[in-house]
Amino acid sequence: MENLPSPLVIEILSRLKDSTDLARCRVVSNTLNEASYEVRSLTLVCSMSRYLKSRSPETKHLITPFKTVLKNLVLRSPNLESVSLGVDRSLGGISFDDVEDESDDLHLTDFNFIQDWLPSLSKSIKSLSVSDFWVQSCWRQSQALSLISSTCHGLVQLVVRNAWLVVDGLCLMPTLTNLTLEFVRLDDEDLNMLNTCFPNLTQLNLIGVGGLKEPKINLPHLRTCQWSVSNAPLSLNISAPSLVDFHLKCIKPRLLFLEAPSLSNFNLSLENTDELVLKNCGNIQCLQLEVECFSLGYILSMFQRCVAVERLSLDFVRKTPRVVDVGADQVREFGLDMLLNYFPNIRYLSLGSEAWRVMESSFCRGSLENGIETKTLKELVAYIVVLEIEFTLAFIFSVLDKCTQLGGVSLLIHSDVDPCVAGNLISACRTKFPGVRWRWGIWKEGIKDTWVSDGI
Amino acid sequence: MAQEASSSTSSKTISLKTGDGEIFEIEASAAKQMKTVQRLIDDLGDDITIPLHNVFSKELPKIIEYYKKDITGEITKDFEAEFVKDLNDDEVKVLFLAANYLDANKLFEFLSQNIADRLESKSVEYVRKYFGVENDFTPEEESKLREERAWSFRGIKEDE
């Protein structure tokens, strides 16, 4: 049995996912004890069972407080480059009614707690992640950001979840390139402090960040961004010359302004907006849209300079349950021509079930003119529900007649559709268009798509 | 068939000789992923059989299998899970040391994570055996350390 040299032992110890295992390893031998202090990363999670034991009268005296454990681990490992602490996601389900005390033993973004151990890592730390305990943190304002910014001179990545953060005293953090705030109330209404103090961000994730009024993201080096926001902000403004990949999920902002000349992949989920301004966004190649049906015309018209779009995914936000809404169909006419008109160069098209449904019924009412052939579309993916097989088949065949270079068609049929009907649909398609590369699958809301190669 | 340019590595194979004298063939593009091997090729030339004194015929085929998949971009989580499924802790340790010697970064990262995962919730005695270390604490030192870290001694798996 070969002994592993110290550097290799450190490599392994560094990858232990839970620092509880690391702490135990320190009891193994003096060598491992010393090696463990060279470990560069620390991960400590408070599990549900630990939380419950710390509350139960029989066991609470046996449990070392989480904050104490963390402090001790950090103070003995002066070279830590990465620290990740938090409560398990299951504790997110605890509501105020379940909690009888006002303790702050798991308030992890508490200034005084962080001050006890973070300064000792000021030179080494590069990545910090704190997942706070919502029940204890949501009503306690935290000055953690000012402490982190003034202490951590080389921090590259910061992740904070489930906290209430103020930006008073926030200092410049020129080395920070990755920032993730998830379910955080941020007292920086227009994101002014964020833009000023984190100017070199390349990756920004703002998921469920509240407290914003008219936020503007203005970051010259930002390359990827994920922004998921409620309907509270009045406007959303993004100006990012290096942005390549952008996911935006919002509801009905009055104004949405985007200036992103390098943007290549844009995923936009938006019910409606009074004003959509896309400035210099002509390089978008891959576009995913999820919008309200009625707003489609307006939104598409704002994309008319985006002729570089080659891949398009479209679906409509479903506000009512999946039921045929006759009223809505009579108002909205929508066909392939409309899409090809705005995006003449698309080679790949993916249609969600609502988009398909509206297109199919528009076609079957005969209310759209059959436009000219198109040679650019090569691949189609669609999520379908078969209500009347003749209509669905007629629509599919019309698409194939129109798109003469369409070589690959992948259809996912809803799992509630009768297998016989699905089977008939598949054989009819194969018979009429044998040259097409057909792929079949099954879809259902909330469940991962299943692909089936031969029949269902 | 056109003559292959001498700089083309697409179908060239390299011969590797293990510490116990066996010879294995590996594609040049896979050899590139093992920095130690590549350094030897740069020094000795690629027509010669490269000697690997610290790697043996038991583990080299497995390493070659990994990098064959790597050059075709087929390494998935499923493949990696299957790759280590039937290996016991000592076999993984031997592969890990070989990956370290060969400076084969991807395999090294994967195996170090796998070993860390295997040690999850294992007892102190198990870890001692695994790393092959002697307990060099006095009984008093050990009991003090255990007491300080009492919180970490719950939920330990039974040793196999």
Side-chain angles (χ1 to χ4, degrees), chain A residues 330-357:
Chain A
Q330 286 174 341
V331 177
R332 184 74 250 155
E333 303 299 345
F334 165 52
L336 201 55
D337 279 334
M338 189 184 189
L339 287 180
L340 294 172
N341 188 34
Y342 286 114
F343 304 113
N345 297 316
I346 45 172
R347 295 197 291 171
Y348 167 99
L349 176 63
S350 169
L351 295 169
S353 61
E354 274 306 293
W356 177 272
R357 191 178 67 74

Side-chain angles (χ1 to χ4, degrees), chain A residues 329 333 356-367 395:
Chain A
D329 286 350
E333 303 299 345
W356 177 272
R357 191 178 67 74
V358 172
M359 283 174 81
E360 188 189 294
S361 40
S362 299
F363 168 80
C364 293
R365 273 197 304 279
S367 47
F395 180 54

Side-chain angles (χ1 to χ4, degrees), chain A residues 25 50 82 89 137 185 217 241 243 253 265 274 279 292-293 315 351 354 364 366 403:
Chain A
C25 281
R50 181 172 228 285
S82 157
R89 273 184 204 272
S137 65
R185 178 178 154 177
I217 292 178
L243 189 63
N265 185 21
D274 291 338
K279 190 172 168 194
E292 209 178 63
C293 191
D315 202 7
L351 295 169
E354 274 306 293
C364 293
C403 305

Side-chain angles (χ1 to χ4, degrees), chain A residues 96-331:
Chain A
F96 291 102
D97 301 332
D98 303 329
V99 173
E100 285 157 10
D101 57 58
E102 284 187 358
S103 58
D104 63 348
D105 60 316
L106 287 171
H107 180 215
L108 303 176
T109 49
D110 172 40
F111 185 94
N112 293 325
F113 163 60
I114 299 183
Q115 195 172 46
D116 275 346
W117 53 270
L118 189 61
S120 70
L121 302 176
S122 67
K123 294 206 178 68
S124 63
I125 193 163
K126 299 212 162 27
S127 167
L128 175 62
S129 168
V130 184
S131 296
D132 212 337
F133 183 31
W134 184 241
V135 158
Q136 291 186 2
S137 65
C138 68
W139 57 282
R140 292 178 162 113
Q141 259 189 0
S142 161
Q143 308 258 4
L145 282 183
S146 101
L147 178 61
I148 293 168
S149 64
S150 60
T151 321
C152 304
H153 307 301
L155 197 68
V156 171
Q157 176 172 281
L158 177 61
V159 176
V160 183
R161 297 189 177 98
N162 314 325
W164 179 4
L165 301 174
V166 302
V167 291
D168 307 338
L170 186 60
C171 312
L172 184 66
M173 293 190 79
T175 53
L176 195 74
T177 56
N178 289 36
L179 176 66
T180 297
L181 300 176
E182 220 175 286
F183 305 120
V184 161
R185 178 178 154 177
L186 184 68
D187 286 354
D188 185 13
E189 274 184 355
D190 299 338
L191 294 180
N192 282 334
M193 285 300 267
L194 187 144
N195 287 317
T196 311
C197 297
F198 308 137
N200 296 323
L201 286 180
T202 58
Q203 190 173 323
L204 177 62
N205 300 316
L206 298 173
I207 314 294
V209 172
L212 304 179
K213 199 163 140 200
E214 293 192 73
K216 291 181 180 53
I217 292 178
N218 198 339
L219 293 165
H221 305 287
L222 193 67
R223 288 184 58 83
T224 59
C225 181
Q226 203 177 334
W227 198 3
S228 167
V229 64
S230 72
N231 210 25
L234 299 170
S235 66
L236 303 173
N237 194 312
I238 306 100
S239 201
S242 311
L243 189 63
V244 171
D245 199 300
F246 187 27
H247 277 227
L248 175 61
K249 190 174 158 81
C250 53
I251 304 181
K252 275 191 201 162
R254 282 195 218 140
L255 161 68
L256 171 55
F257 175 89
L258 173 64
E259 183 177 8
S262 310
L263 189 61
S264 173
N265 185 21
F266 187 21
N267 185 321
L268 174 63
S269 172
L270 154 86
E271 277 181 28
N272 201 355
T273 177
D274 291 338
E275 204 180 337
L276 171 63
V277 180
L278 300 174
K279 190 172 168 194
N280 287 339
C281 293
N283 283 320
I284 299 175
Q285 286 187 341
C286 183
L287 178 63
Q288 283 136 282
L289 284 178
E290 193 185 345
V291 301
E292 209 178 63
C293 191
F294 298 105
S295 347
L296 183 70
Y298 171 66
I299 291 174
L300 284 185
S301 68
M302 293 301 125
F303 278 92
Q304 64 188 349
R305 285 201 209 95
C306 300
V307 289
V309 174
E310 282 186 355
R311 293 177 68 93
L312 175 67
S313 296
L314 176 68
D315 202 7
F316 296 136
V317 167
R318 211 179 358 264
K319 293 178 82 172
T320 52
R322 194 179 45 78
V323 154
V324 176
D325 187 350
V326 178
D329 286 350
Q330 286 174 341
V331 177

Side-chain angles (χ1 to χ4, degrees), chain B residues 1-19:
Chain B
M1 188 105 127
Q3 193 184 7
E4 260 176 48
S6 55
S7 56
S8 148
T9 52
S10 52
S11 54
K12 193 150 175 48
T13 60
I14 309 285
S15 298
L16 303 176
K17 185 167 170 186
T18 63

Side-chain angles (χ1 to χ4, degrees), chain A residues 16 24 85 158 165 179 199 209 253 269 339 415 443 448 451:
Chain A
L16 288 169
R24 225 178 13 261
L85 65 143
L158 177 61
L165 301 174
L179 176 66
V209 172
S269 172
L339 287 180
S415 62
W443 75 276
K448 202 174 157 198
W451 287 102

